[in-house]
Amino acid sequence: LDPTLPNSLFKNFGTKLKDFRITGGYFRKSTIGDQVFNFTPNIEFLRIRSNRRITGNLPNIGGCSRLYYLDLHNNNFTGNAYSLSSNEALQTVYLHNNRLSGTIPAYDNLPNLRRLRVNSNNFTGLGKFTLPRIYEFRAHINAIAGTIPTFVDCPQMQYITLYSNRLSSYTPGAIAQNS
């Protein structure tokens, strides 16, 4: 498949790009170049939604250090979610409604993260979160197994959805420690 967004797309003007949004059901089935955002170091807002027509791995956004809003939901991305270790400005991460798998990274390197939606994927595990600003975590409709996390190191947490997983136990009073 030819990529809808080839690696060279932003080569001549990418350093000026701050906001890129492309949504809708008009895509033909295709991929995104894994290095398409290498030329966009100043991008702050990124939204790509394709009604499940874009496939392949998540694009590399490691060089987008100013990115605060990442919305790649409702695509057909596969593979593991990466740690986003170079993206400390991120406040919102929407990766839901894809086919991502493995363990949801802890994202402890994202001190400004407020919203994380990874629901409706194929995740099987969950890292321990230490996120001082997060208040929304959605991970329902996955295959996460084990103990329900405590979120004790997430003092701002208000919204947690974990239904339709394979969670088997809970430490009584653990979530109440956040109140």
Side-chain angles (χ1 to χ4, degrees), residues 43-47 58-72 82-95 105 107-116 131-135:
I43 195 166
E44 297 171 351
F45 191 104
L46 174 59
R47 173 180 286 154
L58 291 168
N60 180 359
I61 58 163
C64 305
S65 60
R66 294 184 181 184
L67 188 65
Y68 71 87
Y69 188 96
L70 175 64
D71 181 353
L72 299 177
Y82 42 78
S83 71
L84 304 170
S85 60
S86 305
N87 306 99
E88 291 182 15
L90 275 169
Q91 296 175 25
T92 301
V93 175
Y94 292 158
L95 298 175
Y107 296 121
D108 289 349
N109 58 301
L110 303 178
N112 299 305
L113 189 64
R114 307 211 16 99
R115 292 183 194 100
L116 177 60
L131 297 166
R133 295 182 148 194
I134 195 167
Y135 69 87

mmCIF file of all heavy atoms in Angstrom, residues 43-47 58-72 82-95 105 107-116 131-135:
data_model
loop_
_atom_site.group_PDB
_atom_site.id
_atom_site.type_symbol
_atom_site.label_atom_id
_atom_site.label_comp_id
_atom_site.label_asym_id
_atom_site.label_seq_id
_atom_site.Cartn_x
_atom_site.Cartn_y
_atom_site.Cartn_z
ATOM 1 N N ILE A 43 5.429 20.908 16.066
ATOM 2 C CA ILE A 43 4.010 20.572 16.068
ATOM 3 C C ILE A 43 3.507 20.467 17.508
ATOM 4 O O ILE A 43 4.196 19.953 18.381
ATOM 5 C CB ILE A 43 3.722 19.279 15.263
ATOM 6 C CG1 ILE A 43 2.237 19.164 14.966
ATOM 7 C CG2 ILE A 43 4.262 18.058 15.966
ATOM 8 C CD1 ILE A 43 1.909 18.127 13.911
ATOM 9 N N GLU A 44 2.335 21.009 17.756
ATOM 10 C CA GLU A 44 1.749 21.023 19.093
ATOM 11 C C GLU A 44 0.467 20.198 19.172
ATOM 12 O O GLU A 44 0.123 19.690 20.230
ATOM 13 C CB GLU A 44 1.442 22.463 19.517
ATOM 14 C CG GLU A 44 2.678 23.320 19.619
ATOM 15 C CD GLU A 44 2.368 24.790 19.834
ATOM 16 O OE1 GLU A 44 1.192 25.201 19.745
ATOM 17 O OE2 GLU A 44 3.326 25.545 20.091
ATOM 18 N N PHE A 45 -0.251 20.083 18.073
ATOM 19 C CA PHE A 45 -1.546 19.410 18.050
ATOM 20 C C PHE A 45 -1.565 18.466 16.854
ATOM 21 O O PHE A 45 -1.358 18.897 15.726
ATOM 22 C CB PHE A 45 -2.656 20.460 17.901
ATOM 23 C CG PHE A 45 -4.050 19.943 18.123
ATOM 24 C CD1 PHE A 45 -4.718 20.214 19.301
ATOM 25 C CD2 PHE A 45 -4.697 19.194 17.150
ATOM 26 C CE1 PHE A 45 -6.013 19.757 19.511
ATOM 27 C CE2 PHE A 45 -5.987 18.733 17.340
ATOM 28 C CZ PHE A 45 -6.652 19.011 18.523
ATOM 29 N N LEU A 46 -1.805 17.173 17.108
ATOM 30 C CA LEU A 46 -1.801 16.174 16.044
ATOM 31 C C LEU A 46 -3.028 15.287 16.172
ATOM 32 O O LEU A 46 -3.236 14.649 17.205
ATOM 33 C CB LEU A 46 -0.530 15.329 16.116
ATOM 34 C CG LEU A 46 -0.422 14.146 15.159
ATOM 35 C CD1 LEU A 46 -0.512 14.607 13.711
ATOM 36 C CD2 LEU A 46 0.883 13.407 15.408
ATOM 37 N N ARG A 47 -3.862 15.279 15.137
ATOM 38 C CA ARG A 47 -5.051 14.415 15.117
ATOM 39 C C ARG A 47 -5.133 13.721 13.767
ATOM 40 O O ARG A 47 -5.188 14.377 12.731
ATOM 41 C CB ARG A 47 -6.322 15.222 15.337
ATOM 42 C CG ARG A 47 -7.599 14.381 15.149
ATOM 43 C CD ARG A 47 -8.859 15.167 15.354
ATOM 44 N NE ARG A 47 -9.007 15.409 16.782
ATOM 45 C CZ ARG A 47 -9.675 16.440 17.291
ATOM 46 N NH1 ARG A 47 -10.248 17.324 16.503
ATOM 47 N NH2 ARG A 47 -9.774 16.585 18.599
ATOM 48 N N LEU A 58 2.191 2.626 14.813
ATOM 49 C CA LEU A 58 2.064 4.047 15.126
ATOM 50 C C LEU A 58 3.230 4.812 14.517
ATOM 51 O O LEU A 58 4.360 4.329 14.535
ATOM 52 C CB LEU A 58 2.082 4.259 16.642
ATOM 53 C CG LEU A 58 0.880 3.752 17.427
ATOM 54 C CD1 LEU A 58 1.181 3.774 18.913
ATOM 55 C CD2 LEU A 58 -0.345 4.593 17.118
ATOM 56 N N PRO A 59 2.996 6.008 13.993
ATOM 57 C CA PRO A 59 4.113 6.800 13.472
ATOM 58 C C PRO A 59 5.011 7.281 14.609
ATOM 59 O O PRO A 59 4.550 7.495 15.724
ATOM 60 C CB PRO A 59 3.430 7.969 12.765
ATOM 61 C CG PRO A 59 2.092 8.078 13.413
ATOM 62 C CD PRO A 59 1.714 6.683 13.836
ATOM 63 N N ASN A 60 6.281 7.462 14.320
ATOM 64 C CA ASN A 60 7.250 7.941 15.304
ATOM 65 C C ASN A 60 7.051 9.443 15.518
ATOM 66 O O ASN A 60 7.135 10.214 14.573
ATOM 67 C CB ASN A 60 8.659 7.649 14.797
ATOM 68 C CG ASN A 60 9.731 8.110 15.743
ATOM 69 O OD1 ASN A 60 9.441 8.677 16.796
ATOM 70 N ND2 ASN A 60 10.970 7.883 15.384
ATOM 71 N N ILE A 61 6.794 9.845 16.734
ATOM 72 C CA ILE A 61 6.651 11.273 17.051
ATOM 73 C C ILE A 61 7.711 11.715 18.052
ATOM 74 O O ILE A 61 7.578 12.749 18.692
ATOM 75 C CB ILE A 61 5.238 11.591 17.585
ATOM 76 C CG1 ILE A 61 4.941 10.766 18.827
ATOM 77 C CG2 ILE A 61 4.193 11.393 16.501
ATOM 78 C CD1 ILE A 61 3.781 11.278 19.632
ATOM 79 N N GLY A 62 8.771 10.940 18.181
ATOM 80 C CA GLY A 62 9.816 11.217 19.165
ATOM 81 C C GLY A 62 10.456 12.583 19.046
ATOM 82 O O GLY A 62 10.908 13.147 20.025
ATOM 83 N N GLY A 63 10.493 13.164 17.859
ATOM 84 C CA GLY A 63 11.113 14.473 17.678
ATOM 85 C C GLY A 63 10.162 15.635 17.865
ATOM 86 O O GLY A 63 10.543 16.791 17.680
ATOM 87 N N CYS A 64 8.931 15.356 18.249
ATOM 88 C CA CYS A 64 7.910 16.406 18.402
ATOM 89 C C CYS A 64 7.836 16.830 19.864
ATOM 90 O O CYS A 64 6.857 16.564 20.570
ATOM 91 C CB CYS A 64 6.561 15.889 17.917
ATOM 92 S SG CYS A 64 6.566 15.265 16.233
ATOM 93 N N SER A 65 8.842 17.526 20.335
ATOM 94 C CA SER A 65 8.959 17.832 21.766
ATOM 95 C C SER A 65 7.946 18.857 22.267
ATOM 96 O O SER A 65 7.748 18.982 23.469
ATOM 97 C CB SER A 65 10.373 18.311 22.095
ATOM 98 O OG SER A 65 10.661 19.476 21.360
ATOM 99 N N ARG A 66 7.280 19.580 21.379
ATOM 100 C CA ARG A 66 6.279 20.566 21.796
ATOM 101 C C ARG A 66 4.850 20.028 21.735
ATOM 102 O O ARG A 66 3.905 20.736 22.060
ATOM 103 C CB ARG A 66 6.378 21.807 20.934
ATOM 104 C CG ARG A 66 7.684 22.533 21.137
ATOM 105 C CD ARG A 66 7.714 23.793 20.347
ATOM 106 N NE ARG A 66 8.991 24.455 20.560
ATOM 107 C CZ ARG A 66 9.287 25.623 20.061
ATOM 108 N NH1 ARG A 66 8.423 26.271 19.313
ATOM 109 N NH2 ARG A 66 10.455 26.151 20.290
ATOM 110 N N LEU A 67 4.703 18.794 21.317
ATOM 111 C CA LEU A 67 3.384 18.187 21.145
ATOM 112 C C LEU A 67 2.670 18.082 22.487
ATOM 113 O O LEU A 67 3.185 17.481 23.430
ATOM 114 C CB LEU A 67 3.537 16.797 20.529
ATOM 115 C CG LEU A 67 2.263 16.077 20.110
ATOM 116 C CD1 LEU A 67 1.578 16.812 18.972
ATOM 117 C CD2 LEU A 67 2.589 14.655 19.694
ATOM 118 N N TYR A 68 1.492 18.694 22.598
ATOM 119 C CA TYR A 68 0.719 18.591 23.832
ATOM 120 C C TYR A 68 -0.578 17.815 23.638
ATOM 121 O O TYR A 68 -1.204 17.385 24.606
ATOM 122 C CB TYR A 68 0.437 19.972 24.449
ATOM 123 C CG TYR A 68 -0.556 20.823 23.686
ATOM 124 C CD1 TYR A 68 -1.928 20.704 23.919
ATOM 125 C CD2 TYR A 68 -0.122 21.740 22.743
ATOM 126 C CE1 TYR A 68 -2.830 21.472 23.210
ATOM 127 C CE2 TYR A 68 -1.021 22.520 22.043
ATOM 128 C CZ TYR A 68 -2.375 22.380 22.278
ATOM 129 O OH TYR A 68 -3.273 23.137 21.570
ATOM 130 N N TYR A 69 -1.020 17.618 22.385
ATOM 131 C CA TYR A 69 -2.272 16.909 22.111
ATOM 132 C C TYR A 69 -2.021 15.887 21.015
ATOM 133 O O TYR A 69 -1.674 16.248 19.889
ATOM 134 C CB TYR A 69 -3.346 17.906 21.665
ATOM 135 C CG TYR A 69 -4.730 17.314 21.541
ATOM 136 C CD1 TYR A 69 -5.648 17.428 22.582
ATOM 137 C CD2 TYR A 69 -5.127 16.655 20.387
ATOM 138 C CE1 TYR A 69 -6.928 16.898 22.465
ATOM 139 C CE2 TYR A 69 -6.401 16.118 20.267
ATOM 140 C CZ TYR A 69 -7.293 16.243 21.312
ATOM 141 O OH TYR A 69 -8.548 15.715 21.195
ATOM 142 N N LEU A 70 -2.188 14.598 21.342
ATOM 143 C CA LEU A 70 -1.988 13.503 20.395
ATOM 144 C C LEU A 70 -3.272 12.701 20.306
ATOM 145 O O LEU A 70 -3.714 12.105 21.291
ATOM 146 C CB LEU A 70 -0.843 12.597 20.846
ATOM 147 C CG LEU A 70 -0.608 11.328 20.004
ATOM 148 C CD1 LEU A 70 -0.182 11.709 18.587
ATOM 149 C CD2 LEU A 70 0.443 10.459 20.669
ATOM 150 N N ASP A 71 -3.893 12.694 19.136
ATOM 151 C CA ASP A 71 -5.142 11.967 18.925
ATOM 152 C C ASP A 71 -4.979 11.085 17.691
ATOM 153 O O ASP A 71 -5.048 11.569 16.555
ATOM 154 C CB ASP A 71 -6.294 12.948 18.741
ATOM 155 C CG ASP A 71 -7.645 12.262 18.547
ATOM 156 O OD1 ASP A 71 -7.685 11.022 18.426
ATOM 157 O OD2 ASP A 71 -8.656 12.981 18.503
ATOM 158 N N LEU A 72 -4.730 9.813 17.914
ATOM 159 C CA LEU A 72 -4.596 8.826 16.837
ATOM 160 C C LEU A 72 -5.649 7.737 16.999
ATOM 161 O O LEU A 72 -5.417 6.589 16.680
ATOM 162 C CB LEU A 72 -3.193 8.222 16.845
ATOM 163 C CG LEU A 72 -2.037 9.198 16.628
ATOM 164 C CD1 LEU A 72 -0.692 8.485 16.742
ATOM 165 C CD2 LEU A 72 -2.156 9.903 15.284
ATOM 166 N N TYR A 82 4.328 2.939 22.205
ATOM 167 C CA TYR A 82 5.668 3.287 22.672
ATOM 168 C C TYR A 82 5.592 4.241 23.848
ATOM 169 O O TYR A 82 4.549 4.786 24.175
ATOM 170 C CB TYR A 82 6.525 3.838 21.537
ATOM 171 C CG TYR A 82 5.813 4.803 20.622
ATOM 172 C CD1 TYR A 82 5.595 6.110 20.986
ATOM 173 C CD2 TYR A 82 5.360 4.379 19.381
ATOM 174 C CE1 TYR A 82 4.947 6.991 20.158
ATOM 175 C CE2 TYR A 82 4.710 5.256 18.528
ATOM 176 C CZ TYR A 82 4.502 6.560 18.928
ATOM 177 O OH TYR A 82 3.852 7.425 18.098
ATOM 178 N N SER A 83 6.720 4.470 24.484
ATOM 179 C CA SER A 83 6.750 5.178 25.769
ATOM 180 C C SER A 83 6.550 6.690 25.669
ATOM 181 O O SER A 83 6.292 7.332 26.668
ATOM 182 C CB SER A 83 8.074 4.906 26.478
ATOM 183 O OG SER A 83 9.122 5.567 25.800
ATOM 184 N N LEU A 84 6.684 7.278 24.497
ATOM 185 C CA LEU A 84 6.554 8.733 24.335
ATOM 186 C C LEU A 84 7.563 9.482 25.203
ATOM 187 O O LEU A 84 7.301 10.575 25.690
ATOM 188 C CB LEU A 84 5.122 9.193 24.658
ATOM 189 C CG LEU A 84 4.014 8.517 23.858
ATOM 190 C CD1 LEU A 84 2.642 8.867 24.417
ATOM 191 C CD2 LEU A 84 4.099 8.888 22.392
ATOM 192 N N SER A 85 8.734 8.901 25.398
ATOM 193 C CA SER A 85 9.725 9.450 26.323
ATOM 194 C C SER A 85 10.262 10.815 25.914
ATOM 195 O O SER A 85 10.779 11.540 26.756
ATOM 196 C CB SER A 85 10.885 8.470 26.502
ATOM 197 O OG SER A 85 11.510 8.223 25.256
ATOM 198 N N SER A 86 10.132 11.201 24.654
ATOM 199 C CA SER A 86 10.625 12.509 24.208
ATOM 200 C C SER A 86 9.533 13.556 24.154
ATOM 201 O O SER A 86 9.753 14.654 23.668
ATOM 202 C CB SER A 86 11.234 12.387 22.809
ATOM 203 O OG SER A 86 12.229 11.416 22.787
ATOM 204 N N ASN A 87 8.365 13.229 24.635
ATOM 205 C CA ASN A 87 7.203 14.093 24.461
ATOM 206 C C ASN A 87 6.656 14.584 25.797
ATOM 207 O O ASN A 87 5.473 14.456 26.088
ATOM 208 C CB ASN A 87 6.120 13.354 23.677
ATOM 209 C CG ASN A 87 6.631 12.803 22.365
ATOM 210 O OD1 ASN A 87 6.950 11.633 22.277
ATOM 211 N ND2 ASN A 87 6.731 13.652 21.365
ATOM 212 N N GLU A 88 7.504 15.204 26.601
ATOM 213 C CA GLU A 88 7.129 15.611 27.956
ATOM 214 C C GLU A 88 6.023 16.657 28.015
ATOM 215 O O GLU A 88 5.387 16.820 29.044
ATOM 216 C CB GLU A 88 8.361 16.128 28.704
ATOM 217 C CG GLU A 88 9.350 15.040 29.012
ATOM 218 C CD GLU A 88 10.543 15.550 29.801
ATOM 219 O OE1 GLU A 88 10.477 16.672 30.353
ATOM 220 O OE2 GLU A 88 11.537 14.818 29.865
ATOM 221 N N ALA A 89 5.746 17.360 26.934
ATOM 222 C CA ALA A 89 4.690 18.381 26.931
ATOM 223 C C ALA A 89 3.286 17.779 26.795
ATOM 224 O O ALA A 89 2.299 18.472 26.994
ATOM 225 C CB ALA A 89 4.932 19.382 25.805
ATOM 226 N N LEU A 90 3.195 16.492 26.469
ATOM 227 C CA LEU A 90 1.884 15.881 26.224
ATOM 228 C C LEU A 90 0.948 16.019 27.416
ATOM 229 O O LEU A 90 1.311 15.710 28.542
ATOM 230 C CB LEU A 90 2.029 14.398 25.876
ATOM 231 C CG LEU A 90 2.302 14.102 24.414
ATOM 232 C CD1 LEU A 90 2.692 12.646 24.226
ATOM 233 C CD2 LEU A 90 1.112 14.458 23.540
ATOM 234 N N GLN A 91 -0.262 16.481 27.141
ATOM 235 C CA GLN A 91 -1.320 16.576 28.135
ATOM 236 C C GLN A 91 -2.451 15.602 27.823
ATOM 237 O O GLN A 91 -3.141 15.150 28.725
ATOM 238 C CB GLN A 91 -1.886 17.996 28.166
ATOM 239 C CG GLN A 91 -0.885 19.031 28.598
ATOM 240 C CD GLN A 91 -1.457 20.438 28.505
ATOM 241 O OE1 GLN A 91 -2.659 20.646 28.560
ATOM 242 N NE2 GLN A 91 -0.585 21.416 28.357
ATOM 243 N N THR A 92 -2.658 15.317 26.549
ATOM 244 C CA THR A 92 -3.741 14.442 26.112
ATOM 245 C C THR A 92 -3.194 13.410 25.145
ATOM 246 O O THR A 92 -2.518 13.773 24.174
ATOM 247 C CB THR A 92 -4.842 15.275 25.408
ATOM 248 O OG1 THR A 92 -5.333 16.253 26.323
ATOM 249 C CG2 THR A 92 -5.972 14.396 24.929
ATOM 250 N N VAL A 93 -3.494 12.131 25.409
ATOM 251 C CA VAL A 93 -3.109 11.036 24.512
ATOM 252 C C VAL A 93 -4.339 10.175 24.279
ATOM 253 O O VAL A 93 -4.867 9.571 25.216
ATOM 254 C CB VAL A 93 -1.959 10.183 25.100
ATOM 255 C CG1 VAL A 93 -1.668 8.979 24.211
ATOM 256 C CG2 VAL A 93 -0.702 11.024 25.295
ATOM 257 N N TYR A 94 -4.786 10.147 23.027
ATOM 258 C CA TYR A 94 -5.921 9.316 22.630
ATOM 259 C C TYR A 94 -5.435 8.285 21.620
ATOM 260 O O TYR A 94 -5.104 8.622 20.483
ATOM 261 C CB TYR A 94 -7.029 10.153 21.992
ATOM 262 C CG TYR A 94 -7.740 11.114 22.915
ATOM 263 C CD1 TYR A 94 -8.419 12.203 22.400
ATOM 264 C CD2 TYR A 94 -7.760 10.930 24.297
ATOM 265 C CE1 TYR A 94 -9.091 13.091 23.227
ATOM 266 C CE2 TYR A 94 -8.423 11.816 25.128
ATOM 267 C CZ TYR A 94 -9.095 12.892 24.584
ATOM 268 O OH TYR A 94 -9.754 13.765 25.412
ATOM 269 N N LEU A 95 -5.367 7.041 22.058
ATOM 270 C CA LEU A 95 -4.962 5.933 21.194
ATOM 271 C C LEU A 95 -6.056 4.866 21.122
ATOM 272 O O LEU A 95 -5.806 3.748 20.696
ATOM 273 C CB LEU A 95 -3.657 5.300 21.722
ATOM 274 C CG LEU A 95 -2.424 6.200 21.756
ATOM 275 C CD1 LEU A 95 -1.252 5.487 22.414
ATOM 276 C CD2 LEU A 95 -2.057 6.672 20.361
ATOM 277 N N PRO A 105 2.243 1.364 28.421
ATOM 278 C CA PRO A 105 3.380 1.953 29.126
ATOM 279 C C PRO A 105 2.936 2.809 30.315
ATOM 280 O O PRO A 105 1.837 3.360 30.322
ATOM 281 C CB PRO A 105 4.046 2.826 28.057
ATOM 282 C CG PRO A 105 3.584 2.271 26.755
ATOM 283 C CD PRO A 105 2.201 1.760 27.009
ATOM 284 N N TYR A 107 4.129 5.667 31.186
ATOM 285 C CA TYR A 107 4.166 7.085 30.812
ATOM 286 C C TYR A 107 4.607 7.990 31.957
ATOM 287 O O TYR A 107 4.199 9.147 32.037
ATOM 288 C CB TYR A 107 2.808 7.546 30.260
ATOM 289 C CG TYR A 107 2.418 6.857 28.968
ATOM 290 C CD1 TYR A 107 1.250 6.119 28.875
ATOM 291 C CD2 TYR A 107 3.228 6.969 27.851
ATOM 292 C CE1 TYR A 107 0.897 5.489 27.686
ATOM 293 C CE2 TYR A 107 2.890 6.341 26.660
ATOM 294 C CZ TYR A 107 1.719 5.609 26.585
ATOM 295 O OH TYR A 107 1.383 4.994 25.412
ATOM 296 N N ASP A 108 5.459 7.486 32.845
ATOM 297 C CA ASP A 108 5.922 8.272 33.993
ATOM 298 C C ASP A 108 6.759 9.482 33.588
ATOM 299 O O ASP A 108 6.960 10.384 34.390
ATOM 300 C CB ASP A 108 6.724 7.392 34.950
ATOM 301 C CG ASP A 108 5.839 6.416 35.690
ATOM 302 O OD1 ASP A 108 4.604 6.557 35.631
ATOM 303 O OD2 ASP A 108 6.387 5.504 36.324
ATOM 304 N N ASN A 109 7.234 9.514 32.371
ATOM 305 C CA ASN A 109 8.038 10.641 31.900
ATOM 306 C C ASN A 109 7.171 11.788 31.394
ATOM 307 O O ASN A 109 7.691 12.772 30.891
ATOM 308 C CB ASN A 109 8.958 10.178 30.768
ATOM 309 C CG ASN A 109 8.142 9.592 29.618
ATOM 310 O OD1 ASN A 109 7.403 8.628 29.830
ATOM 311 N ND2 ASN A 109 8.253 10.151 28.448
ATOM 312 N N LEU A 110 5.850 11.674 31.543
ATOM 313 C CA LEU A 110 4.933 12.701 31.047
ATOM 314 C C LEU A 110 4.282 13.429 32.226
ATOM 315 O O LEU A 110 3.142 13.163 32.584
ATOM 316 C CB LEU A 110 3.862 12.070 30.150
ATOM 317 C CG LEU A 110 4.371 11.274 28.948
ATOM 318 C CD1 LEU A 110 3.219 10.659 28.187
ATOM 319 C CD2 LEU A 110 5.224 12.142 28.039
ATOM 320 N N PRO A 111 4.974 14.375 32.836
ATOM 321 C CA PRO A 111 4.471 15.019 34.054
ATOM 322 C C PRO A 111 3.219 15.866 33.834
ATOM 323 O O PRO A 111 2.517 16.184 34.792
ATOM 324 C CB PRO A 111 5.640 15.898 34.501
ATOM 325 C CG PRO A 111 6.384 16.191 33.242
ATOM 326 C CD PRO A 111 6.255 14.937 32.411
ATOM 327 N N ASN A 112 2.913 16.221 32.587
ATOM 328 C CA ASN A 112 1.755 17.060 32.305
ATOM 329 C C ASN A 112 0.546 16.277 31.792
ATOM 330 O O ASN A 112 -0.489 16.879 31.485
ATOM 331 C CB ASN A 112 2.129 18.134 31.269
ATOM 332 C CG ASN A 112 3.218 19.035 31.790
ATOM 333 O OD1 ASN A 112 3.078 19.628 32.850
ATOM 334 N ND2 ASN A 112 4.320 19.122 31.071
ATOM 335 N N LEU A 113 0.678 14.962 31.684
ATOM 336 C CA LEU A 113 -0.401 14.148 31.130
ATOM 337 C C LEU A 113 -1.647 14.238 31.997
ATOM 338 O O LEU A 113 -1.601 14.017 33.199
ATOM 339 C CB LEU A 113 0.039 12.683 30.998
ATOM 340 C CG LEU A 113 -0.926 11.776 30.243
ATOM 341 C CD1 LEU A 113 -1.059 12.219 28.784
ATOM 342 C CD2 LEU A 113 -0.441 10.335 30.300
ATOM 343 N N ARG A 114 -2.790 14.591 31.367
ATOM 344 C CA ARG A 114 -4.057 14.741 32.084
ATOM 345 C C ARG A 114 -5.080 13.707 31.630
ATOM 346 O O ARG A 114 -5.888 13.271 32.422
ATOM 347 C CB ARG A 114 -4.605 16.152 31.875
ATOM 348 C CG ARG A 114 -3.538 17.173 32.254
ATOM 349 C CD ARG A 114 -3.899 18.484 32.808
ATOM 350 N NE ARG A 114 -5.186 18.758 33.323
ATOM 351 C CZ ARG A 114 -5.507 18.747 34.615
ATOM 352 N NH1 ARG A 114 -4.613 18.395 35.501
ATOM 353 N NH2 ARG A 114 -6.705 19.090 35.006
ATOM 354 N N ARG A 115 -5.060 13.348 30.345
ATOM 355 C CA ARG A 115 -6.029 12.389 29.802
ATOM 356 C C ARG A 115 -5.299 11.309 29.024
ATOM 357 O O ARG A 115 -4.471 11.618 28.169
ATOM 358 C CB ARG A 115 -6.993 13.078 28.841
ATOM 359 C CG ARG A 115 -7.913 14.043 29.473
ATOM 360 C CD ARG A 115 -8.857 14.591 28.365
ATOM 361 N NE ARG A 115 -9.544 15.756 28.829
ATOM 362 C CZ ARG A 115 -9.195 17.001 28.533
ATOM 363 N NH1 ARG A 115 -8.181 17.251 27.744
ATOM 364 N NH2 ARG A 115 -9.879 18.016 29.009
ATOM 365 N N LEU A 116 -5.655 10.051 29.312
ATOM 366 C CA LEU A 116 -5.095 8.916 28.577
ATOM 367 C C LEU A 116 -6.226 7.954 28.245
ATOM 368 O O LEU A 116 -6.867 7.401 29.142
ATOM 369 C CB LEU A 116 -4.023 8.205 29.411
ATOM 370 C CG LEU A 116 -3.401 6.952 28.807
ATOM 371 C CD1 LEU A 116 -2.717 7.257 27.474
ATOM 372 C CD2 LEU A 116 -2.405 6.334 29.787
ATOM 373 N N LEU A 131 1.642 9.550 37.874
ATOM 374 C CA LEU A 131 1.310 10.696 37.036
ATOM 375 C C LEU A 131 0.579 11.737 37.882
ATOM 376 O O LEU A 131 -0.604 11.587 38.184
ATOM 377 C CB LEU A 131 0.434 10.246 35.857
ATOM 378 C CG LEU A 131 1.117 9.248 34.906
ATOM 379 C CD1 LEU A 131 0.105 8.596 33.991
ATOM 380 C CD2 LEU A 131 2.194 9.954 34.104
ATOM 381 N N PRO A 132 1.260 12.799 38.282
ATOM 382 C CA PRO A 132 0.691 13.750 39.242
ATOM 383 C C PRO A 132 -0.507 14.537 38.733
ATOM 384 O O PRO A 132 -1.299 15.023 39.526
ATOM 385 C CB PRO A 132 1.860 14.686 39.552
ATOM 386 C CG PRO A 132 2.769 14.567 38.383
ATOM 387 C CD PRO A 132 2.617 13.166 37.882
ATOM 388 N N ARG A 133 -0.684 14.668 37.422
ATOM 389 C CA ARG A 133 -1.770 15.505 36.893
ATOM 390 C C ARG A 133 -2.889 14.732 36.207
ATOM 391 O O ARG A 133 -3.900 15.317 35.845
ATOM 392 C CB ARG A 133 -1.208 16.522 35.914
ATOM 393 C CG ARG A 133 -0.300 17.508 36.589
ATOM 394 C CD ARG A 133 0.183 18.509 35.607
ATOM 395 N NE ARG A 133 0.379 19.767 36.313
ATOM 396 C CZ ARG A 133 0.550 20.907 35.723
ATOM 397 N NH1 ARG A 133 0.545 20.990 34.420
ATOM 398 N NH2 ARG A 133 0.711 21.995 36.430
ATOM 399 N N ILE A 134 -2.707 13.438 35.996
ATOM 400 C CA ILE A 134 -3.721 12.696 35.250
ATOM 401 C C ILE A 134 -5.036 12.647 36.028
ATOM 402 O O ILE A 134 -5.046 12.448 37.229
ATOM 403 C CB ILE A 134 -3.240 11.276 34.881
ATOM 404 C CG1 ILE A 134 -4.153 10.674 33.817
ATOM 405 C CG2 ILE A 134 -3.122 10.397 36.111
ATOM 406 C CD1 ILE A 134 -3.596 9.438 33.160
ATOM 407 N N TYR A 135 -6.124 12.906 35.333
ATOM 408 C CA TYR A 135 -7.438 12.790 35.973
ATOM 409 C C TYR A 135 -8.381 11.866 35.200
ATOM 410 O O TYR A 135 -9.443 11.523 35.704
ATOM 411 C CB TYR A 135 -8.089 14.160 36.199
ATOM 412 C CG TYR A 135 -8.534 14.890 34.956
ATOM 413 C CD1 TYR A 135 -9.794 14.664 34.401
ATOM 414 C CD2 TYR A 135 -7.707 15.814 34.354
ATOM 415 C CE1 TYR A 135 -10.198 15.345 33.262
ATOM 416 C CE2 TYR A 135 -8.111 16.500 33.235
ATOM 417 C CZ TYR A 135 -9.359 16.262 32.686
ATOM 418 O OH TYR A 135 -9.762 16.933 31.573
#
